[in-house]
Amino acid sequence: MSDLSLTAAAPVQEDAANEGRLVRGLLIGTAVVFLALFLVLPLFTVFAQAFARGVGAYLEAFSEPDAWTAIRLTLTVAAIAVPFNLVFGVAAAWAIAKFEFTGKSLLITLIDLPFSVSPVVSGLIYVLLFGSQGLFGGWLQANGIQILFALPGIVLATVFVTFPFVARELIPLMQEQGNAEEEAALTLGATGLHTFRTVTLPNIRWGLLYSVLLCNARAMGEFGAVSVVSGHIRGLTNTIPLHVEILYNEYNFVAAFAVASLLAGLALVTLALKSLLEWRYGAELGSRARH
Amino acid sequence: MRAGELLGLLGPSGSGKTTLLRIIAGLDTPDRGRILFGGDDATFLPVQQRAVGFVFQHYALFKHMSVADNIAYGLNARKRSERPPAAEIKRRVGELLDLIRLSGFADRYPSQLSGGQRQRIALARALAVEPRVLLLDEPFGALDAQVRKDLRRWLREIHDRTGQTTIFVTHDQDEALELSDRVAVLDRGRLEQVGTPDEVQENPASATVLRFLGDAIEVEAITEGGQVRVDGRPTPVVAPAGLIGPVKLFVRPWQLQLVEPATAHLTGTVRSSYRSQGRQRIEVARPDGGLLIVEDSDGERYATGREVGLRINGGYVFG
């Protein structure tokens, strides 16, 4: 008899976290609709608009020399900004995670600064510094150095905006790993450089790749800061996002979305690689190690 | 520190053992004082040039390298002109793997090994560079009791075989007394005593050393004519010359004997007792509220609440 009552009671017994089918369905449904509306639909629209008049029209958007200039410029900027921030990020994370020094918390705050400042404001800072009315404007003009409305300005603005990516990923990772392995290497007679190359770098390699990926996506997609310093000179200082804006403002929707699909594609590839890294090497990533 | 000896650095946590070891290794810098290797001043020598082998409590193996690469690291890190040829490094790694009895493990990775195995690899890695002195920082601290016992014996064997000058840090008295040729007791950054395990146990230099080497109770006593008296009754303890009047007498659990209250130095009531490994340990509450532990052979049982007397058969006197 007691067996019977037990089996009868089991289905009625409810888990404390079990909210009932209706509530669960409602919550999941809301999330799915939200994601579809705000993430999937826009992405779909980008490609749908790009191919609205067929593949021919899509490809035509890239036959324009201005489009190619924009793509080349974006790649050039990323090729300069990302390695720069890679080196800076590793150096800063190394210093912050492995050593004690005065001004450390100030340095951490400074690294975070670009995330808290609006990109447009960071662009304006460079205008104020290097513009013709700016602080160094006169001197730069006198010496014939062009920073604003040229590649240097765009690179500077991009570097500023993507400054924190590498350092912020690596600091928690390196802090968690501690100094023990480096100290072991030093006592075994390895020089500082050898230790860095054979011990520190292999330990942070996946975290580094992860952060470079995000840094690169942002460097290529940055609009606000670059928009302020580039001057929008067609075929000269337009990056991909700026080129998209111009095309869109000229009601050239197919071309605008075709070029935009490049950035969307980049975002998808980044997302896929990022997920792959998280899935495969989650434990060796700083942003995951904190959880 | 003598060449070829196994020195145990013993002290409570926070006594500066690890700091001292790190200063010897060159990982930390001393506020004052000097570090001498042989006759050479090594105080300002960078860590790489000190030729020390350091074994960390948590192993600090290189996670991304195989066991063989871990052991060979120090040799591979040398300048090209000083680096042994690859075949020689391979031979040396093989030798060391034999020494630590992990011969088949060359291609494994640290994550595939147990704690005891990892610590043996860490030791082999440190020995590979033929250090002038081997420094072990709580080498068995992170291991469970059984593995720790095995590794202790094994470390002693390795030391006897290689004659490697070694300093190891521990907060476990047993470990220090079992392993060391000589023990150095540290407290709050001060060196209290250095001596063989027998010396420090028989003649502790201070009450701190005595307390740290094992349980002891403190008893008020009076010295008269070279004799130490407790509660008016003479004890077999001989007072050091020059100590007269009230002194402190420290007594180990096994220096106390349970007797009839009438002839005892101390009295109390039995609080609890338990048997372990052929002995029994009896907790006795003193009239003043203090607790003390007596060790006795596993014979007569003492019921809780029974009035007992304690005779002092030995002890250590400090002023």
Side-chain angles (χ1 to χ4, degrees):
Chain A
M1 272 315 284
S2 61
D3 282 353
L4 226 160
S5 67
L6 254 177
T7 44
V12 186
Q13 205 172 38
E14 281 214 9
D15 199 316
N18 201 337
E19 296 289 349
R21 211 167 285 176
L22 186 74
V23 179
R24 236 188 314 165
L26 213 63
L27 284 172
I28 294 174
T30 314
V32 168
V33 169
F34 181 86
L35 285 177
L37 263 175
F38 287 88
L39 292 176
V40 182
L41 194 62
L43 198 62
F44 177 76
T45 313
V46 169
F47 287 99
Q49 291 281 351
F51 289 103
R53 282 189 218 142
V55 181
Y58 178 82
L59 290 178
E60 206 171 303
F62 298 107
S63 63
E64 211 191 325
D66 288 353
W68 280 110
T69 320
I71 293 169
R72 230 182 352 255
L73 181 62
T74 295
L75 291 177
T76 311
V77 169
I80 300 171
V82 173
F84 178 88
N85 277 339
L86 173 83
V87 172
F88 165 79
V90 171
W94 164 273
I96 286 168
K98 311 273 177 180
F99 301 98
E100 288 304 323
F101 53 90
T102 44
K104 186 164 147 174
S105 52
L106 184 72
L107 182 59
I108 296 174
T109 314
L110 280 177
I111 288 171
D112 276 345
L113 191 68
F115 274 174
S116 47
V117 171
S118 158
V120 177
V121 174
S122 32
L124 277 174
I125 294 169
Y126 289 106
V127 174
L128 291 175
L129 283 178
F130 305 123
S132 54
Q133 310 297 320
L135 207 56
F136 305 116
W139 184 84
L140 288 171
Q141 222 157 20
N143 289 278
I145 302 169
Q146 182 80 21
I147 289 186
L148 277 188
F149 315 128
L151 182 67
I154 298 171
V155 169
L156 277 175
T158 307
V159 163
F160 181 85
V161 171
T162 56
F163 218 44
F165 281 97
V166 177
R168 281 187 56 125
E169 165 69 20
L170 293 184
I171 290 168
L173 182 64
M174 287 171 126
Q175 272 172 340
E176 196 204 46
Q177 287 176 344
N179 287 341
E181 285 185 41
E182 277 86 2
E183 285 180 342
L186 293 177
T187 60
L188 290 168
T191 59
L193 195 66
H194 187 78
T195 303
F196 180 76
R197 211 163 49 74
T198 57
V199 177
T200 311
L201 216 48
N203 274 338
I204 60 170
R205 59 195 157 170
W206 298 117
L208 198 59
L209 185 56
Y210 181 88
S211 59
V212 162
L213 214 58
L214 294 183
C215 185
N216 180 58
R218 180 66 191 269
M220 289 194 178
E222 173 56 26
F223 178 81
V226 170
S227 168
V228 177
V229 296
S230 95
H232 301 263
I233 306 167
R234 253 192 133 133
L236 209 56
T237 65
N238 268 348
T239 60
I240 297 178
L242 301 182
H243 188 63
V244 171
E245 193 210 16
I246 287 181
L247 290 172
Y248 186 81
N249 286 344
E250 291 168 351
Y251 304 105
N252 193 349
F253 294 133
V254 169
F257 281 105
V259 178
S261 72
L262 279 185
L263 285 175
L266 170 74
L268 286 175
V269 170
T270 304
L271 193 70
L273 288 175
K274 174 176 168 289
S275 306
L276 182 73
L277 279 177
E278 282 173 354
W279 169 67
R280 184 77 182 73
Y281 304 103
E284 294 173 51
L285 299 178
S287 46
R288 300 298 277 317
R290 272 172 290 183
H291 301 171
Chain B
M1 182 83 204
R2 294 167 193 153
E5 103 178 321
L6 183 57
L7 178 76
L9 270 185
L10 181 64
S13 15
S15 59
K17 314 177 290 278
T18 296
T19 309
L20 177 57
L21 206 66
R22 290 175 60 87
I23 288 173
I24 296 173
L27 293 171
D28 283 337
T29 44
D31 295 328
R32 58 196 159 83
R34 293 190 304 149
I35 302 291
L36 300 177
F37 286 172
D40 314 332
D41 191 336
T43 315
F44 300 105
L45 214 55
V47 47
Q48 294 94 338
Q49 289 165 30
R50 293 202 187 188
V52 296
F54 203 102
V55 174
F56 297 80
Q57 183 177 358
H58 297 287
Y59 331 124
L61 292 178
F62 306 125
K63 293 186 280 291
H64 58 286
M65 292 182 202
S66 68
V67 164
D69 287 342
N70 262 283
I71 297 176
Y73 186 88
L75 298 173
N76 283 328
R78 287 186 185 166
K79 274 182 291 189
R80 204 170 294 268
S81 55
E82 294 164 20
R83 196 186 306 158
E88 165 69 15
I89 293 180
K90 198 162 184 271
R91 194 187 57 76
R92 183 123 184 79
V93 169
E95 261 176 31
L96 284 159
L97 281 170
D98 283 343
L99 182 74
I100 59 170
R101 295 200 216 110
L102 288 174
S103 306
F105 287 69
D107 297 325
R108 303 267 189 110
Y109 281 82
S111 58
Q112 299 168 308
L113 304 176
S114 73
Q117 290 170 336
R118 288 185 207 183
Q119 199 55 296
R120 274 141 74 189
I121 305 290
L123 188 78
R125 180 179 69 178
L127 286 172
V129 293
E130 289 165 341
R132 276 194 281 193
V133 52
L134 183 63
L135 307 168
L136 311 171
D137 183 11
E138 306 240 10
F140 314 129
L143 303 170
D144 59 51
Q146 189 52 49
V147 179
R148 199 182 318 190
K149 270 203 176 133
D150 291 346
L151 273 191
R152 260 195 225 174
R153 202 168 315 128
W154 171 82
L155 178 63
R156 183 72 235 183
E157 271 175 44
I158 297 254
H159 179 263
D160 290 345
R161 201 148 7 126
T162 58
Q164 171 72 53
T165 309
T166 305
I167 305 180
F168 78 100
V169 156
T170 178
H171 61 262
D172 180 340
Q173 311 87 340
D174 260 5
E175 196 168 290
L177 296 173
E178 180 186 337
L179 274 177
S180 315
D181 294 321
R182 286 195 304 155
V183 176
V185 184
L186 254 75
D187 185 50
R188 276 170 282 170
R190 276 194 37 213
L191 184 61
E192 293 276 338
Q193 189 174 8
V194 188
T196 65
D198 285 344
E199 278 165 19
V200 292
Q201 286 181 92
E202 282 159 23
N203 293 307
S206 66
T208 316
V209 174
L210 177 124
R211 271 206 213 90
F212 193 68
L213 289 177
D215 291 333
I217 58 157
E218 195 181 320
V219 181
E220 300 293 332
I222 307 274
T223 58
E224 270 176 25
Q227 204 175 38
V228 178
R229 285 165 175 272
V230 173
D231 201 14
R233 294 202 171 86
T235 66
V237 183
V238 178
L243 265 185
I244 294 169
V247 290
K248 285 188 167 49
L249 177 64
F250 291 87
V251 186
R252 298 283 191 208
W254 56 88
Q255 293 171 324
L256 286 169
Q257 191 186 353
L258 287 159
V259 292
E260 286 310 311
T263 60
H265 293 113
L266 307 164
T267 58
T269 31
V270 175
R271 268 272 297 267
S272 67
S273 67
Y274 72 93
R275 280 191 267 183
S276 167
Q277 306 188 33
R279 308 276 297 166
Q280 61 175 328
R281 282 167 82 85
I282 302 141
E283 215 175 56
V284 177
R286 306 263 310 273
D288 62 8
L291 274 179
L292 58 88
I293 288 162
V294 190
E295 269 187 29
D296 199 10
S297 60
D298 187 7
E300 189 186 352
R301 301 287 288 156
Y302 292 87
T304 304
R306 177 170 159 183
E307 292 288 321
V308 289
L310 297 164
R311 186 161 69 217
I312 294 168
N313 288 333
Y316 309 89
V317 181
F318 293 102

